[in-house]
Amino acid sequence: MMAADRTDDDCEQLLARVARGERAALGELFAAEAGRLIAIARRIVRRREVAEEIVQDAFVAVWRSAGRFDPARGPGRAWLTTIVRNRALNAVRDGARLDFADEEQLALFSDRRGDAHAAYEALAEGDALRRCLSTLEPRRRESILLAYVLGCTHGEIAARLDAPVGTVKAWIRRGVIALQECLS
């Protein structure tokens, strides 16, 4: 118990020095706490490289906001843990629909992209779905084909089309609405 108390005291002293703008104190704090914080983040995000990035971002936030730390509200280590935990949970929420793929999976996906176009081309010229799909902007049409023909995730489509995930989601949502209106 005494060792844990000593660590909390050390952490709070380092946070006070960081609040005064001492870069060396931030380095000492990182050296003392980063391993523990990476382990916490890794348990949440399940990927070491993502956990390391989260902890790095958390320490940037600590550098900017160390003056707001109030030891009367709790120990410094708990404050650091809360920052990392919240960032890790946000990363999980933000990336919940993103699937990470290795190079082999990406190569397979690249080969399958032609399958989506082939499905579109296989539609008869007079088919209402083909007519409605042809009215869509090409990237919006491709997003819909990749999502509904191949079953790709928003993250996979975003990577393939080199577009932000939010943009891909908007293309698909607006494209589907346009298709519904065209087909009705």
Side-chain angles (χ1 to χ4, degrees), residues 50 88-100 153 155 165 169:
V50 176
L89 291 172
N90 286 341
V92 168
R93 272 192 295 271
D94 293 345
R97 290 184 209 103
L98 296 179
D99 292 331
F100 295 99
T153 66
V165 174
K169 289 178 184 179

Side-chain angles (χ1 to χ4, degrees), residues 30-167:
F30 185 85
E33 297 294 327
R36 180 181 68 83
L37 295 172
I38 288 170
I40 291 168
R42 187 172 182 185
R43 273 183 253 145
I44 296 169
V45 299
R46 305 217 185 278
R47 295 191 58 189
R48 181 164 181 85
E49 64 275 10
V50 176
E52 289 172 353
E53 187 176 322
I54 288 167
V55 171
Q56 181 180 352
D57 289 344
F59 273 91
V60 170
V62 166
W63 175 254
R64 292 180 181 151
S65 63
R68 288 187 257 155
F69 169 69
D70 180 6
R73 295 181 67 195
R77 294 181 86 207
W79 186 69
L80 291 173
T81 302
T82 300
I83 292 171
V84 169
R85 181 182 174 276
N86 289 342
R87 287 179 180 272
L89 291 172
N90 286 341
V92 168
R93 272 192 295 271
D94 293 345
R97 290 184 209 103
L98 296 179
D99 292 331
F100 295 99
D102 60 23
E103 289 182 35
E104 185 178 310
Q105 289 174 317
L106 289 177
L108 177 63
F109 175 69
S110 178
D111 294 341
R112 292 178 53 216
R113 187 175 181 191
D115 294 344
H117 293 293
Y120 171 69
E121 294 298 326
L123 292 171
E125 282 296 323
D127 192 301
L129 180 59
R130 183 183 176 115
R131 181 179 45 79
C132 291
L133 280 168
S134 67
T135 65
L136 297 177
E137 185 264 331
R139 293 182 78 167
R140 197 175 284 184
R141 178 176 54 242
E142 187 169 3
S143 296
I144 289 172
L145 290 171
L146 291 171
Y148 290 97
V149 174
L150 298 182
C152 298
T153 66
H154 293 122
E156 289 170 334
I157 296 167
R160 187 67 192 136
L161 299 180
D162 194 27
V165 174
T167 301

